[in-house]
Structure formats: C-alpha cells, structure tokens
Amino acid sequence: MTSYTPKNILITGAAGFIASHVANRLVRSYPDYKIVVLDKLDYCSNLKNLNPSRSAPNFKFVKGDIGSADLVNYLLITESIDTIMHFAAQTHVDNSFGNSFEFTKNNIYGTHVLLEACKVTGQIRRFIHVSTDEVYGETDEDAVVGNHEASQLLPTNPYSATKAGAEMLVMAYGRSYGLPVITTRGNNVYGPNQFPEKLIPKFILLAMRGMQLPIHGDGANVRSYLYCEDVAEAFEVVLHKGEVGHVYNIGTKKERRVTDVAQDICKLFSMDPQSNIKYVENRPFNDQRYFLDDQKLKNLGWAERTTWEEGLKKTMDWYTSNPDWWGDVSGALLPHPRMLMMPGGNEKHFDGSDTRDSESRFVNKSIASQASATNPKGIIPQKAAVKFLIYGRTGWIGGLLGKLCEKDGIQYEYGRGRLENRSQLLSDLQLVKPTHVFNAAGVTGRPNVDWCESHKTETIRTNVVGTLNLADICREQGLLMINFATGCIFEYDAAHPEGSSIGFKEEDTPNFHGSFYSKTKAMVEELLKEYDNVCTLRVRMPISSDLSNPRNFITKISRYNKVVNIPNSMTVLDELLPISIEMAKRNLRGIWNFTNPGVVSHNEILEMYKNYIDPSFKWANFTLEEQAKVIVAARSNNEMDGSKLKTEFPELLSIKESLIKYVFEPNKKT
C-alpha cells in the first residue's frame, strides 16, 4: 500500500464547507505540515469556517481566485507547495441551470489554470482533484450495485457536466505530462458550516423559522448522505494512502428519500410533517438516484463512523447555536434559489465580525439573542441584511424606492455620482458598500419624450453611456444591478396584433423606432445582455396611487383634452416596485417584462376614473393620425407577455385588478 507524506499543502476553496473541515483537520492533526488555503470568498464561503486554525503556526490564508495564473504560480513557488487538494468549485445544481457559464469558468477553467501551473513549476508530488458522484449521472432505481470508479460518466446537468469536464483535464495532464493526480467522487455531505442553499441546512433553518420545508417534485429522489467529519477523514486517507492515477468514490450505501430527510428534520423540531412539508415545482432535470460502490476506499482503511441520527442531531445543534453564521440567507431559503456568484460574498474577519456596518451586526445579534431566549428550539424571525445603493433620487421611481426601503427597514443610500462619471460611481460604491445597486436614473424627457428628439447627445450620455458605465463597474465589484428600463421598444405588428393577447416576450427583438428615447433604451438593453450581473425590468406607462404626480399615466391622460384609445400593457408601481426589491433579494437576472399581466385601454382607465374619482369627468378620443399632428415623436403601443414574471410571482394581479386594488379603491370618492 502506498504511503505518502506531504510537506506544504495548498487547499483551494478552503473557506467553503467540505474543504474547511479538511483544512482544520490537517492543521490540527499534522503540525509539521504547512497548510496554505486559497479562497476568493464567494457567497458560499466564510472565513469563520477556518476559525479553529486561525492561530496555528502551520496555517496561512490567501484571498484569491484559482483563475489567476499569476497568483497560482506565485503561491506554488513562494510557498514551496508539493501537494494540492483542489476543492474550489461552484457546486449548487439550481444555480447551474441559470448561470452555467459561471460554472464553466470556475470548475473547468479554474482547474485548467491549476494544472498548467503544476506542469510549469514541476514540483507537485500529489494533485488531489475533488469531483462529485453526479458525474456518473442517474443510477437505475432497482440497481443493487453502485457505480464503481471505472463506470461511464453521464452527467445530466450543467454543474455535473463541468465537473466531468474538469476530470477529463485532470486525466489528460496525468497521462500527457505525468502529473501525479488522484480524483475523488463523493456522495452528498452535510454538517456544520454548510451554506444553506443545500438541502439539510436549508430545511433546518426553515424549521428554525417555523416555515414549511419545500421539496422538489414528489420527494421520491434518493440520495446518500455522509457527515462532514467522516468525509474529512476520507480525504486524510486518500492524501496519505491514495494511489497516483486512481479514482476513489467517497460514499455510503445508506440511502434516503428527500421526503424522509424532511420528515426526520420535522421530528427533531417537533413539527407536524403533514402541515410543514410542501411540494414545489421540480428542477428542469432532477436525477432520481446516485449510488456508489465505495469498496475501493474502504480497502485503504476508511469507514463511515457517524450514524444518520447522530450526524443530523449534531448539525441541528450547530445551526441553532449559530443562527447568524451566514448573515441574510433569505434568497438561499427559497424553493428554487438563484444566488448571485460574487467574489467577497461573505468575507468575515477572524475575530468573527462581519465586514458589514456595525449597526447591522448589532441588529442581527439582538435578534439572535431574543430568539434563543424565547424559542428553545432556536426558531428565529427572518431579517434583512441587504443594503441598496439607488440612483435616480430626484426621479419618480427612485424616490418611491427610497420610501419603500424606509417602510420595510431596508438600509439604503442614494448615489451621488453622475452615471457618466466612472470615478464618482466607484467612490459611491466604496463609501456605501452596497449589496445591490438599483438604477432608476435616466432621461425620459421634459415634460415628455419629445424633448429627447432635440437633445440627443444628452439622452445618449445618460441612457446609454451612463447605464453601461454603472453596469460595468457593478460587474467588476461583483454586484447585481437592477436596471429600470422600458417596454416602449415594441409596437403592435402582424405577429402581435392589437387585441390578440399575443404579447412580446423577453427574448423578442425590439421593433419600435419611432422615438429617439426608445432607440437609446433598445440599444442599451441589447448591450446589457452581455452583462450577467444585470436584471433589466421593462416598465410601461407607469401608474401609482398618487394621482397628483404629473408622471402618473392616469394623471397625464385625465388632463389631456383628447386621448387615443388603444389597449396597452402597463405597470402599477404600488404592486410591482416591492416585487423589484424581492427580485434583488432573490438575485434574479436577465430581462423581465415588468408589467401587470394583460392590457387595459385609455378609455377603460378613464371609465374607472369616472366611476371612482369624478362622476362628472368627460373625455374625447382622437385617432393616431390626429395625435401625430400634436406630438414630435411617435408613441409605442403594445402588449407585453407577462408570463415569466407571473410564474416567478404567482400572486401578481392582472392590470385591471391591480388598478382597482392599488389605485382606484384607495382614492375612491364616489
């Protein structure tokens, strides 16, 4: 049997879940080994995970990205690294369906950079590559023998595909350049310190909050779970006894359905499973079962030590004792989380303090202490730990956003810099340190879009250059930007005729070029598609309950002598602006038609105005041809397809229902 003794080990991703347990174990058990850990501190990493090692003389932490070849080469040489344990990866399957390129970048390119550095320096004696059981694909439900290390790789989702791709690179460098590589493929791992996008910590935190546990599909999917300390011991065995060029499964034959896991957690919290488990929409593809043959690793002397009941109890005790370990995790606790992958997502100091401001820390600790005093099971209320930087203070939407933040107790500040001034924007970000940026600034015209026809350079400067400037800086800083755009970039056509209920979808190409304002908005929207950190919200003909506001669409048309009568999609801000805040918390991205479902015509709105506000109100109609004689730029009329937003927020009302509930009923005078 092989026996290997390392000297200087580089562990990538060591502020994450599994790697932190491995790093702490090696630092504690082998004082003669130097352990250098490299982590970029993404959203699912936390420096506090490494607290047990912080004072050890054989421990060193380096913040950085494995994608930086210069940094990796520098570390290998200056730290005389002879062993690499490569854990760093994006691992959450739900995220991979919505952000697959980020998985390719981290999991494949990052691995390639490490391998190339090993080849160039020529000093590595072991390269342990950490993969996953998911590369095997789905196991037959009736299979009695698990996948062995020579089984075919048949990944079924973007995450597992990138891990399989990384494995191919590792194998190639082993064969072509003689790198001493070893690969591991593990079952699901659970235990303390795990970011709660994963099933067990998510269910525990939801149970602590007294909330329902969401199960994808029918809950019959089967998984195998290993306790983190057992897995850390497995890596210790592979490090010292693993054969170069071999693959080792780290697994258990003790399988559980997802439903069984939820029921066991309900039992620990004395919750009724019938009323506290809910079944939600399944993933685009959800493997039914992963089953491993783990005999090869057992032959090296490793064995699972922790029973399911013991491990689950330890895990529950840890989370109830450390409810604020991860800060605000409301986005991760959704049935289908979409976390924004950001460098520095959860950077913590070794003294246990958060890099957020002291007021946030005080509020969080107060809530935790109240929870422990009043709830013996550790049930705590949800809390907001986000901070918004909002541009567009003097604008209508920007002003309303600030009021909503005040109402909901959300920290926020308005940006002081001009969008076209990059240095001012950077100064704002450094000063405020936001978690999200809202862009509600833009030129719509004074008093309307006709102004833009004679002020084209000013319109370009703000609507195009400024918006791109802010998006680019936010991307550099790893921040999500919620961008309030417009749906006035479409007009009814043969494929989307008026009255057909066929709306323009998010992926449709803009077809309205009648105003310079709309041209700039369509132009910047197309360019923003290249920024994966932007959530574009297409607002149309915005309406609010404030009927005195001159920008309110109802206020406008109620003051006109004549109006056209065309059905249009519209945005009721009282209902949709709170949704924009929730979208930020969920870290949603891409283009969204930000309108209430359905259409409403000018006459229908004015009829409601007459019924609810002013019974004596009268108006007259005129045609589009007549309207064209009194305006400079043409106006957009269209129906937007609201199904994407409605799917994400099923409670969203149709435009007519929303108008009555949020606008006319509160202002009712008749």
Side-chain angles (χ1 to χ4, degrees):
M1 185 180 293
T2 299
S3 179
Y4 172 69
T5 302
K7 291 183 179 179
N8 304 312
I9 306 173
L10 175 67
I11 304 179
T12 68
F17 171 46
I18 301 174
S20 65
H21 286 281
V22 174
N24 290 331
R25 184 184 188 90
L26 294 178
V27 169
R28 178 180 68 248
S29 302
Y30 301 93
D32 293 337
Y33 297 177
K34 180 170 72 173
I35 310 297
V36 180
V37 303
L38 174 64
D39 200 298
K40 70 176 182 178
L41 297 178
D42 210 337
Y43 74 95
C44 54
S45 300
N46 192 328
L47 271 179
K48 289 197 293 186
N49 291 346
L50 294 165
N51 275 351
S53 303
R54 64 182 184 180
S55 59
N58 62 331
F59 171 83
K60 181 175 183 178
F61 173 79
V62 178
K63 181 181 178 182
D65 192 334
I66 59 171
S68 172
D70 290 341
L71 174 61
V72 172
N73 278 283
Y74 174 80
L75 285 177
L76 296 191
I77 294 169
T78 58
E79 301 294 341
S80 301
I81 300 298
D82 57 32
T83 304
I84 293 178
M85 301 181 78
H86 176 36
F87 289 85
Q90 295 291 347
T91 65
H92 192 49
V93 176
D94 275 359
N95 284 342
S96 77
F97 287 118
N99 195 8
S100 56
F101 287 112
E102 192 73 18
F103 280 68
T104 301
K105 176 183 173 184
N106 282 272
N107 299 354
I108 296 180
Y109 178 74
T111 301
H112 200 168
V113 169
L114 285 172
L115 292 167
E116 189 65 17
C118 293
K119 184 193 80 172
V120 170
T121 57
Q123 66 194 49
I124 300 301
R125 298 167 58 213
R126 286 290 188 279
F127 184 100
I128 298 175
H129 176 68
V130 182
S131 191
T132 172
D133 60 355
E134 295 196 34
V135 297
Y136 293 121
E138 192 171 51
T139 307
D140 291 340
E141 291 184 52
D142 57 354
V144 294
V145 178
N147 286 301
H148 55 80
E149 286 81 356
S151 297
Q152 185 178 6
L153 304 190
L154 296 168
T156 58
N157 58 64
Y159 158 61
S160 56
T162 60
K163 294 299 286 184
E167 279 198 37
M168 296 301 102
L169 281 170
V170 171
M171 183 191 304
Y173 271 73
R175 291 179 175 175
S176 297
Y177 304 111
L179 289 187
V181 299
I182 298 173
T183 296
T184 67
R185 298 173 184 149
N187 278 150
N188 289 26
V189 184
Y190 71 100
N193 302 359
Q194 190 171 26
F195 186 73
E197 65 187 357
K198 298 302 175 77
L199 184 80
I200 291 175
K202 173 189 282 191
F203 280 3
I204 288 174
L205 285 177
L206 286 170
M208 287 166 60
R209 289 159 167 77
M211 299 171 66
Q212 288 184 312
L213 313 187
I215 292 178
H216 293 170
D218 61 6
N221 304 74
V222 175
R223 297 292 183 265
S224 302
Y225 297 94
L226 283 167
Y227 188 64
C228 55
E229 286 302 328
D230 292 346
V231 174
E233 183 181 357
F235 280 105
E236 181 183 3
V237 171
V238 170
L239 171 65
H240 295 109
K241 299 180 180 179
E243 293 274 356
V244 169
H246 283 236
V247 177
Y248 294 93
N249 288 337
I250 303 175
T252 175
K253 291 183 171 61
K254 300 170 185 175
E255 299 179 291
R256 280 169 181 79
R257 297 178 306 160
V258 174
T259 297
D260 297 331
V261 174
Q263 290 174 346
D264 287 346
I265 290 174
C266 283
K267 183 178 179 181
L268 282 174
F269 283 89
S270 300
M271 297 166 60
D272 175 24
Q274 294 294 326
S275 58
N276 287 286
I277 293 176
K278 66 175 180 179
Y279 295 89
V280 299
E281 182 182 358
N282 212 342
R283 290 172 177 168
F285 189 87
N286 197 352
D287 290 323
Q288 186 64 29
R289 183 190 187 202
Y290 303 122
F291 190 40
L292 296 181
D293 181 340
D294 58 349
Q295 188 58 47
K296 185 175 178 180
L297 181 59
K298 288 180 177 177
N299 292 341
L300 296 184
W302 175 83
E304 180 184 6
R305 299 179 186 274
T306 309
T307 66
W308 167 251
E309 293 75 17
E310 179 188 359
L312 195 61
K313 180 65 166 59
K314 285 182 178 180
T315 305
M316 183 198 76
D317 289 344
W318 186 88
Y319 279 97
T320 53
S321 299
N322 298 276
D324 292 322
W325 194 263
W326 290 103
D328 176 36
V329 292
S330 55
L333 299 183
L334 296 169
H336 296 281
R338 296 176 177 87
M339 301 303 294
L340 181 64
M341 297 165 192
M342 303 183 294
N346 258 342
E347 183 173 353
K348 315 278 184 174
H349 296 299
F350 270 140
D351 62 3
S353 64
D354 199 319
T355 55
R356 301 184 184 95
D357 61 85
S358 58
E359 182 181 358
S360 295
R361 292 200 299 273
F362 177 77
V363 170
N364 292 347
K365 290 177 181 176
S366 297
I367 292 173
S369 62
Q370 291 169 20
S372 61
T374 58
N375 297 301
K377 292 181 187 201
I379 297 175
I380 60 174
Q382 284 184 294
K383 54 193 177 299
V386 295
K387 186 175 186 181
F388 297 155
L389 176 60
I390 303 172
Y391 287 91
R393 179 174 191 165
T394 59
W396 185 23
I397 290 178
L400 289 175
L401 280 172
K403 292 178 180 178
L404 277 174
C405 289
E406 289 176 2
K407 176 185 175 184
D408 294 338
I410 297 173
Q411 293 185 78
Y412 78 100
E413 289 188 35
Y414 284 107
R416 299 180 182 179
R418 299 192 66 82
L419 296 189
E420 59 268 27
N421 190 314
R422 194 175 183 89
S423 62
Q424 290 179 1
L425 298 184
L426 280 169
S427 177
D428 282 347
L429 292 177
Q430 291 166 2
L431 181 67
V432 177
K433 294 181 174 59
T435 60
H436 303 76
V437 175
F438 283 76
N439 179 30
V443 170
T444 55
R446 309 180 186 93
N448 54 48
V449 296
D450 289 345
W451 179 90
C452 299
E453 302 298 314
S454 56
H455 297 80
K456 293 184 177 179
T457 55
E458 295 95 324
T459 306
I460 292 172
R461 189 178 301 127
T462 300
N463 291 358
V464 181
V465 177
T467 302
L468 291 175
N469 213 15
L470 184 58
D472 191 57
I473 290 172
C474 287
R475 189 175 190 275
E476 287 183 350
Q477 301 296 317
L479 292 169
L480 173 66
M481 182 180 91
I482 304 292
N483 184 54
F484 288 94
T486 181
C488 295
I489 53 178
F490 297 98
E491 63 180 348
Y492 288 119
D493 60 14
H496 309 81
E498 178 182 332
S500 67
S501 298
I502 302 174
F504 289 91
K505 296 186 176 181
E506 282 79 358
E507 61 268 25
D508 288 336
T509 302
N511 67 345
F512 176 70
H513 312 290
S515 72
F516 191 76
Y517 163 76
S518 293
K519 288 179 182 177
T520 63
K521 300 299 268 188
M523 180 189 304
V524 77
E525 180 177 291
E526 181 64 24
L527 294 171
L528 285 176
K529 290 179 181 178
E530 303 302 318
Y531 287 83
D532 58 3
N533 64 311
V534 175
C535 179
T536 296
L537 306 181
R538 290 172 173 166
V539 176
R540 283 213 80 232
M541 298 179 171
I543 294 169
S544 84
S545 56
D546 180 8
L547 296 180
S548 64
N549 192 302
R551 288 196 174 274
N552 191 330
F553 181 74
I554 296 177
T555 308
K556 286 181 180 180
I557 63 173
S558 66
R559 294 177 180 178
Y560 291 160
N561 293 325
K562 293 182 179 181
V563 297
V564 294
N565 183 37
I566 300 176
N568 272 282
S569 288
M570 301 184 189
T571 302
V572 178
L573 297 176
D574 301 71
E575 182 175 18
L576 282 160
L577 281 187
I579 286 178
S580 73
I581 291 175
E582 180 60 26
M583 293 176 82
K585 291 179 179 179
R586 296 186 188 184
N587 287 310
L588 300 179
R589 285 158 289 172
I591 297 173
W592 298 76
N593 289 338
F594 203 57
T595 58
N596 292 87
V599 293
V600 64
S601 70
H602 297 62
N603 279 5
E604 288 175 311
I605 289 178
L606 293 177
E607 192 66 39
M608 292 182 196
Y609 185 88
K610 180 177 181 179
N611 292 336
Y612 283 86
I613 309 298
D614 183 5
S616 63
F617 182 78
K618 296 179 181 179
W619 71 95
N621 291 128
F622 63 162
T623 65
L624 286 173
E625 292 74 17
E626 292 173 318
Q627 182 194 46
K629 296 177 182 178
V630 296
I631 57 177
V632 176
R635 303 296 195 261
S636 159
N637 294 287
N638 66 61
E639 178 174 355
M640 313 289 286
D641 186 317
S643 57
K644 180 180 177 181
L645 190 65
K646 178 72 173 176
T647 300
E648 186 73 27
F649 298 94
E651 69 277 14
L652 181 63
L653 297 178
S654 70
I655 181 60
K656 293 176 184 177
E657 292 173 322
S658 190
L659 282 170
I660 292 171
K661 178 177 179 179
Y662 290 100
V663 180
F664 289 112
E665 282 290 350
N667 287 289
K668 188 174 182 179
K669 295 181 180 178
T670 62

